[in-house]
Amino acid sequence: MIISIIGGTDGLGKWFARYLKGKGFDVIVTGRDVEKGKKVERELGVKFINDNIEAAKKADIVIIAVPINVTEKVIKEVAPHVRDGCLLMDITSIKEIPTKAMEEYANKNVVIIPTHPMFGPSAPSLFGQVIILTPLERHKNTEWFKKVYNFLKKEGAKIIITTPEKHDRIMAVVQGLTHFSFISLAYTLKELNVDIKESRKYSSPVYELMLSIIARIIGQNPYLYADIQMFNKRIGEIHKTFINCCLELSNVVKNKDREKFVKIMKEAAKHFGSEAKRGVYYSDKAIFALTNELNRLVDMIGEEVAIRNIDSNNVHFGILKGVDGDYLILDKNGKLEKFNVLRVEVFDGEKLKELKKRYLKRIYFDVSVLLKDNVDENTILDLLKSKFDIEIIDVYKGENIEKGWKSVTFRIFGYKKDELREKEKEFIKIIKNIGGKLRY
Amino acid sequence: MIISIIGGTDGLGKWFARYLKGKGFDVIVTGRDVEKGKKVERELGVKFINDNIEAAKKADIVIIAVPINVTEKVIKEVAPHVRDGCLLMDITSIKEIPTKAMEEYANKNVVIIPTHPMFGPSAPSLFGQVIILTPLERHKNTEWFKKVYNFLKKEGAKIIITTPEKHDRIMAVVQGLTHFSFISLAYTLKELNVDIKESRKYSSPVYELMLSIIARIIGQNPYLYADIQMFNKRIGEIHKTFINCCLELSNVVKNKDREKFVKIMKEAAKHFGSEAKRGVYYSDKAIFALTNELNRLVDMIGEEVAIRNIDSNNVHFGILKGVDGDYLILDKNGKLEKFNVLRVEVFDGEKLKELKKRYLKRIYFDVSVLLKDNVDENTILDLLKSKFDIEIIDVYKGENIEKGWKSVTFRIFGYKKDELREKEKEFIKIIKNIGGKLRY
């Protein structure tokens, strides 16, 4: 099956190209920039074509993944060339405009599934991600629809099926109001020339969370965010309502109308109903998790830990020396290294053992032990595993072995010679205490 | 030392009454409502007086803890009666007005430390909490100031010392802008009649976090939030700037001025500088913690767990049957019980063992074993601890014991008879394999 992704050299289009290629599909991508296209071709092992119409003609599935502001234009160009019986999709954050355009310009026998993946290109997979589909009724009983639905289901996506109108109405709030208010807040902090870092010293968890949401939003692709505001017909009303609420509340404050302020707050709380409680719980959990993590780290000071950088995936081993504001200090064999506490995961206990096994070169020594013939060496091994990283590599009876005894050879692993020497002493002591004797 | 808390029958005043009483101080509280005062007197074991002036005269430390809107009036009434050499404080969320009033109305030899505790009455203690002090220069070298500072330090508070002006300027943003924008957002969602629960189905982590911050804020005392807006002189400018930014951004969207939108977003991001990255990391951690927690719970299905309700502190034991949206299903000996996932902590492994030990009735059996005389029974115990909840209760040599051997009595704990019977079999098997024999 051939999938053509129109605008597949960038952003979420490229993400889907990589994902679908990984799932075994033949993927074609198009894009305006030939050089970039060639690079993506090499990087993902897909085919790049510098011609949207040719790509559409060749494919069983055509996915429109261009920026919102040119989506309508590109659909008009491409849709008529999607072959009868094939599937046409888009992955734009708005749904009324592209749905209408695809229905208008595609052939009658093309199945159309307008799609809004509610995630960005940093998502690791479809697992747990929300995907919204807004097909017209006539497409819902098609084989294509079932195929797409089952594929997404299998990948673990949370699928929502609704109409383009309802989608845009809800998104005007979920994305529209959220982005608008936080970009306005960011703009305000800049206009007021607030020193963000300094202000955080005085901060409550709520202020810290607000800053972090602002930071998340202003770090995204600004063109995408502009288009989400500009191409959703329902955004204007949302802006107006929000600004009017701000103006009214500001006037209430100016007039020192305490009772009116209280009424607004109480009525808003009432509108939230049980969701208010849920929200408090949710943020409690988030704040609790962050505080908890910090307490856990402070408790680990002086201990051996593994630090995984969640960007590079590199794992570092050493002794945790300290936690200083946003930074961790790790002692790596006497060399101190700093890590951003918000950018790492820190492990001790079983997980530390597991990571050492995976990333560090293990060394070992073998030791042969005589155990009574009727002893079950696996019961012994099981007990020893609580103390050592240990395996049995040989069990031997017969020649050269005293009658009524057997020879069991254990292999004990470690990471440093000194450490292994200590382990050896401990092992011998234990073995002598549980009825064994050294063979040599 | 006597501490009088003016307005100590409610809110944060009551919180401090309880806290300081717990630290061994003699605490007097005042309040307008005599009945409520009598109740608090009984509840906290403090003294209630229905007369602010009398309370002020009696105390070594007077703390003003009345609502912001009457703070100035109460200071005017009370401050002249604070004795020379004593300490006067307030715990209001604004600092310019109360600092000025205390300086004006208190006697010359009274030390004045205006204070803003950056937490609410749900805080468990002062540990880790931010407390802002805004004393004038002349109070900073006093014994009282040192005492207060050292007390807060010892309790683990994060102390910030600044001027009342700087405090109010920063709070106009940290509290003022934050509260104002989120109350306006809540008001908007109500005016648009958004079905919050339905909208969450379509939601991104950012929208979910926004809702949870709104919920946190609208659930607070609305009078306090009204006063924080109305009694900070610098709030007006903040409102104006925010509303102007909203209006400008809305116009940019209306005019489809893509480049201008991008410019605003980019400049705001630039203003955040490295704090933008930090914010993303911070929210990543929060979101990651929440997702991680859910994945961890799904992995635990079918296992024995302990569920601690973080409101009631009750601990429940059973088999985790499932995770269903916001709820956990626990099988408690065949009886199914539901728990709100946002309101519990779930434990397995070592922590589960620890909680069982603390909350469940342990039963046990004793078993006497013969070990060779030269065997170290503590080495054996150490190995057995990886398998059993076990102690040694007796070691005996001599009469009735074969020469060259000693009797060691182990006690093995469990929670159910069946389980203990299994443990006994396992124990006997292991003991026989490590050179021991049963005494009887």
Side-chain angles (χ1 to χ4, degrees):
Chain A
M1 193 180 304
I2 297 176
I3 302 178
S4 281
I5 303 179
I6 310 300
T9 59
D10 234 338
L12 204 57
K14 184 177 170 189
W15 188 95
F16 270 101
R18 185 196 306 269
Y19 197 74
L20 295 168
K21 175 74 191 174
K23 295 289 161 188
F25 295 100
D26 281 332
V27 176
I28 297 172
V29 298
T30 75
R32 283 167 307 171
D33 184 336
V34 177
E35 211 168 306
K36 191 195 264 178
K38 290 284 168 200
K39 229 183 105 193
V40 171
E41 188 171 69
R42 284 191 302 273
E43 185 188 340
L44 308 184
V46 299
K47 195 173 158 59
F48 170 72
I49 300 184
N50 184 25
D51 182 336
N52 289 345
I53 293 173
E54 197 195 328
K57 283 179 178 167
K58 280 194 171 157
D60 302 293
I61 302 177
V62 177
I63 301 175
I64 311 286
V66 295
I68 295 175
N69 67 326
V70 294
T71 293
E72 195 175 5
K73 198 187 91 197
V74 170
I75 290 174
K76 194 172 170 180
E77 172 201 356
V78 165
H81 302 283
V82 178
R83 285 181 283 116
D84 269 355
C86 289
L87 171 64
L88 175 61
M89 305 176 74
D90 79 304
I91 55 166
T92 321
S93 298
I94 53 161
K95 291 273 69 66
E96 290 188 83
I97 292 171
T99 305
K100 193 160 164 280
M102 289 191 289
E103 291 292 341
E104 187 174 342
Y105 297 113
N107 298 322
K108 268 237 172 75
N109 293 320
V110 168
V111 173
I112 295 166
I113 309 182
T115 301
H116 180 191
M118 289 287 289
F119 55 88
S122 68
S125 76
L126 286 172
F127 186 83
Q129 303 291 353
V130 174
I131 290 207
I132 307 172
L133 310 177
T134 65
L136 299 193
E137 278 306 321
R138 69 180 181 94
H139 299 297
K140 285 188 193 166
N141 280 321
T142 60
E143 279 307 309
W144 275 120
F145 185 78
K146 277 176 218 158
K147 266 189 195 159
V148 168
Y149 186 91
N150 290 335
F151 174 79
L152 294 174
K153 199 88 201 163
K154 215 185 87 224
E155 296 296 308
K158 291 181 195 149
I159 307 163
I160 295 177
I161 301 165
T162 185
T163 64
E165 294 72 28
K166 188 169 177 198
H167 170 276
D168 281 14
R169 201 165 61 240
I170 290 184
M171 281 307 138
V173 173
V174 168
Q175 295 194 310
L177 178 60
T178 309
H179 298 173
F180 179 75
S181 56
F182 284 98
I183 296 169
S184 295
L185 278 168
Y187 191 16
T188 306
L189 291 172
K190 189 210 126 208
E191 289 294 293
L192 292 169
N193 203 18
V194 172
D195 181 336
I196 309 293
K197 191 168 181 177
E198 164 82 6
S199 74
R200 269 205 297 111
K201 284 191 205 149
Y202 293 74
S203 111
S204 59
V206 160
Y207 181 68
E208 182 98 53
L209 276 176
M210 179 183 85
L211 287 182
S212 72
I213 301 179
I214 294 175
R216 259 190 119 69
I217 287 176
I218 57 173
Q220 303 292 330
N221 174 356
Y223 289 98
L224 172 62
Y225 278 54
D227 289 346
I228 288 176
Q229 295 290 320
M230 292 172 189
F231 288 86
N232 185 325
K233 290 187 292 184
R234 297 160 201 273
I235 288 274
E237 189 207 336
I238 305 287
H239 288 181
K240 212 172 110 190
T241 309
F242 180 57
I243 291 168
N244 282 341
C245 287
C246 287
L247 281 168
E248 191 184 339
L249 194 66
S250 182
N251 271 328
V252 167
V253 170
K254 206 183 287 163
N255 299 332
K256 296 212 177 187
D257 189 345
R258 222 170 164 239
E259 292 308 325
K260 179 78 205 236
F261 188 99
V262 168
K263 188 166 169 261
I264 288 175
M265 217 167 130
K266 277 189 175 164
E267 283 182 2
K270 203 175 143 207
H271 175 72
F272 265 65
S274 66
E275 286 290 307
K277 219 172 176 182
R278 189 192 179 278
V280 174
Y281 291 172
Y282 186 90
S283 53
D284 268 359
K285 270 267 175 186
I287 293 165
F288 180 76
L290 291 164
T291 326
N292 239 12
E293 165 94 356
L294 215 60
N295 290 339
R296 194 177 73 96
L297 290 175
V298 169
D299 285 346
M300 281 186 195
I301 290 174
E303 281 178 27
E304 186 182 13
V305 296
I307 293 186
R308 193 175 73 85
N309 183 313
I310 60 180
D311 298 312
S312 68
N313 247 319
N314 287 339
V315 179
H316 305 261
F317 299 91
I319 306 295
L320 187 65
K321 293 301 275 189
V323 182
D324 173 20
D326 281 351
Y327 289 93
L328 298 178
I329 319 290
L330 186 71
D331 182 342
K332 295 172 78 170
N333 284 321
K335 226 186 83 201
L336 297 185
E337 214 168 302
K338 257 170 101 179
F339 295 88
N340 186 331
V341 67
L342 294 171
R343 229 43 204 161
V344 296
E345 285 184 281
V346 183
F347 303 101
D348 61 357
E350 280 307 310
K351 188 74 188 174
L352 169 65
K353 275 190 206 165
E354 197 187 310
L355 288 169
K356 282 174 82 172
K357 220 172 198 166
R358 198 186 320 159
Y359 288 102
L360 298 182
K361 195 175 141 40
R362 284 198 299 178
I363 52 177
Y364 62 82
F365 69 91
D366 294 340
V367 55
S368 292
V369 163
L370 295 177
L371 295 176
K372 282 262 176 67
D373 208 2
N374 60 349
V375 160
D376 172 20
E377 64 272 10
N378 286 314
T379 300
I380 304 282
L381 178 67
D382 204 26
L383 284 177
L384 292 173
K385 275 189 171 164
S386 68
K387 295 270 160 195
F388 306 96
D389 184 1
I390 189 167
E391 289 171 11
I392 290 175
I393 57 163
D394 188 46
V395 181
Y396 172 76
K397 271 192 279 196
E399 219 174 319
N400 294 330
I401 304 293
E402 216 177 312
K403 221 178 156 185
W405 294 77
K406 59 183 164 186
S407 164
V408 179
T409 305
F410 290 94
R411 177 165 290 177
I412 298 175
F413 296 91
Y415 299 94
K416 283 181 196 160
K417 279 191 181 163
D418 301 358
E419 179 202 350
L420 268 192
R421 240 170 265 133
E422 287 305 309
K423 291 265 173 209
E424 187 167 3
K425 277 185 212 159
E426 195 186 349
F427 176 80
I428 291 168
K429 182 184 159 211
I430 290 175
I431 278 296
K432 286 183 173 167
N433 269 291
I434 59 175
K437 45 188 184 181
L438 290 189
R439 186 165 167 197
Y440 305 110
Chain B
M1 193 180 305
I2 298 176
I3 302 178
S4 281
I5 302 180
I6 310 301
T9 60
D10 233 339
L12 204 58
K14 185 178 171 189
W15 187 96
F16 270 102
R18 184 195 307 269
Y19 197 76
L20 294 170
K21 175 75 190 174
K23 295 288 159 188
F25 295 100
D26 282 333
V27 176
I28 298 171
V29 297
T30 75
R32 282 165 307 169
D33 184 335
V34 177
E35 211 167 305
K36 191 195 263 179
K38 290 285 169 199
K39 231 183 103 192
V40 172
E41 189 171 67
R42 285 191 300 274
E43 185 190 341
L44 307 185
V46 299
K47 194 172 158 60
F48 170 74
I49 301 183
N50 184 22
D51 182 335
N52 289 343
I53 292 171
E54 198 195 329
K57 282 179 179 167
K58 279 193 171 158
D60 302 293
I61 302 177
V62 177
I63 300 175
I64 311 287
V66 295
I68 296 176
N69 67 326
V70 293
T71 293
E72 195 175 4
K73 198 187 90 194
V74 171
I75 289 172
K76 194 172 170 181
E77 171 202 357
V78 166
H81 303 283
V82 177
R83 286 183 282 118
D84 269 354
C86 288
L87 172 64
L88 175 61
M89 303 176 78
D90 79 304
I91 55 165
T92 320
S93 296
I94 53 160
K95 291 271 72 66
E96 289 187 82
I97 292 171
T99 305
K100 193 160 163 280
M102 290 192 288
E103 292 292 341
E104 186 173 343
Y105 297 111
N107 298 323
K108 268 240 171 71
N109 293 321
V110 168
V111 174
I112 295 166
I113 309 182
T115 302
H116 180 190
M118 290 287 288
F119 55 88
S122 68
S125 75
L126 286 172
F127 186 83
Q129 302 292 352
V130 174
I131 290 206
I132 306 172
L133 309 177
T134 65
L136 299 193
E137 278 306 322
R138 68 181 182 95
H139 299 296
K140 286 189 193 166
N141 280 321
T142 61
E143 279 307 309
W144 275 121
F145 185 78
K146 276 175 219 159
K147 266 188 195 158
V148 169
Y149 186 91
N150 290 335
F151 174 79
L152 295 174
K153 199 87 202 165
K154 212 184 87 223
E155 296 297 306
K158 289 180 199 154
I159 308 162
I160 296 179
I161 301 165
T162 186
T163 64
E165 294 73 28
K166 188 169 178 199
H167 170 277
D168 281 14
R169 201 165 60 237
I170 290 183
M171 281 307 137
V173 173
V174 167
Q175 294 194 311
L177 177 61
T178 309
H179 298 174
F180 179 75
S181 56
F182 283 98
I183 296 167
S184 295
L185 278 168
Y187 191 16
T188 305
L189 291 171
K190 190 211 126 210
E191 290 294 293
L192 292 170
N193 203 18
V194 173
D195 180 336
I196 308 294
K197 193 169 182 177
E198 164 81 7
S199 74
R200 268 205 298 111
K201 284 190 203 148
Y202 293 75
S203 111
S204 59
V206 160
Y207 180 68
E208 182 97 55
L209 275 175
M210 180 183 84
L211 286 181
S212 72
I213 301 179
I214 293 174
R216 258 192 121 69
I217 287 177
I218 57 175
Q220 303 291 331
N221 175 356
Y223 289 98
L224 173 62
Y225 278 54
D227 289 346
I228 288 177
Q229 295 289 319
M230 291 171 189
F231 289 86
N232 184 325
K233 290 187 291 185
R234 297 160 200 274
I235 288 272
E237 189 207 336
I238 304 287
H239 289 181
K240 211 172 111 190
T241 309
F242 180 56
I243 291 168
N244 281 340
C245 287
C246 287
L247 281 168
E248 191 183 340
L249 194 65
S250 182
N251 272 327
V252 167
V253 170
K254 204 181 290 162
N255 300 331
K256 298 213 176 187
D257 189 345
R258 220 169 167 240
E259 292 307 324
K260 179 76 206 243
F261 188 99
V262 168
K263 189 167 168 257
I264 287 174
M265 217 168 131
K266 276 190 176 163
E267 281 181 3
K270 203 175 142 204
H271 176 71
F272 265 64
S274 66
E275 286 292 305
K277 221 172 173 181
R278 189 191 178 279
V280 173
Y281 292 172
Y282 186 88
S283 54
D284 267 359
K285 271 267 175 187
I287 294 165
F288 181 76
L290 292 164
T291 327
N292 239 13
E293 165 94 355
L294 215 61
N295 290 340
R296 193 178 75 97
L297 290 175
V298 170
D299 285 347
M300 281 184 194
I301 290 173
E303 282 178 24
E304 186 182 11
V305 297
I307 293 186
R308 193 174 73 85
N309 183 314
I310 60 180
D311 298 313
S312 68
N313 246 321
N314 288 339
V315 179
H316 305 261
F317 298 93
I319 307 294
L320 187 65
K321 294 300 276 187
V323 182
D324 174 19
D326 280 353
Y327 290 94
L328 297 179
I329 320 288
L330 186 71
D331 182 342
K332 294 173 78 172
N333 285 321
K335 226 187 79 201
L336 297 186
E337 213 167 303
K338 255 171 101 179
F339 296 88
N340 185 332
V341 67
L342 293 172
R343 233 38 206 164
V344 296
E345 285 183 280
V346 183
F347 302 102
D348 60 357
E350 280 307 311
K351 187 77 188 174
L352 168 66
K353 276 190 203 166
E354 197 186 310
L355 288 168
K356 282 174 82 171
K357 220 172 198 167
R358 199 184 323 160
Y359 289 102
L360 298 182
K361 195 175 142 40
R362 283 197 299 177
I363 53 178
Y364 61 83
F365 69 91
D366 294 340
V367 55
S368 292
V369 164
L370 295 177
L371 295 176
K372 283 259 177 71
D373 207 2
N374 61 349
V375 160
D376 173 21
E377 64 272 11
N378 286 315
T379 301
I380 303 282
L381 178 68
D382 203 27
L383 284 178
L384 291 172
K385 275 190 170 162
S386 68
K387 296 270 159 195
F388 305 97
D389 183 1
I390 191 167
E391 290 171 9
I392 289 175
I393 58 163
D394 188 46
V395 181
Y396 172 76
K397 270 189 283 192
E399 220 174 316
N400 294 329
I401 304 294
E402 215 176 312
K403 223 183 152 172
W405 294 76
K406 58 183 164 186
S407 164
V408 180
T409 305
F410 291 94
R411 176 165 292 175
I412 298 176
F413 297 91
Y415 299 95
K416 285 181 193 159
K417 279 191 183 164
D418 301 357
E419 179 203 352
L420 268 193
R421 241 172 264 129
E422 288 303 310
K423 291 266 174 208
E424 187 167 5
K425 277 186 214 161
E426 195 187 348
F427 176 80
I428 291 168
K429 182 185 158 209
I430 289 175
I431 278 295
K432 285 183 173 167
N433 269 290
I434 60 175
K437 43 189 187 184
L438 289 189
R439 188 165 164 195
Y440 305 110

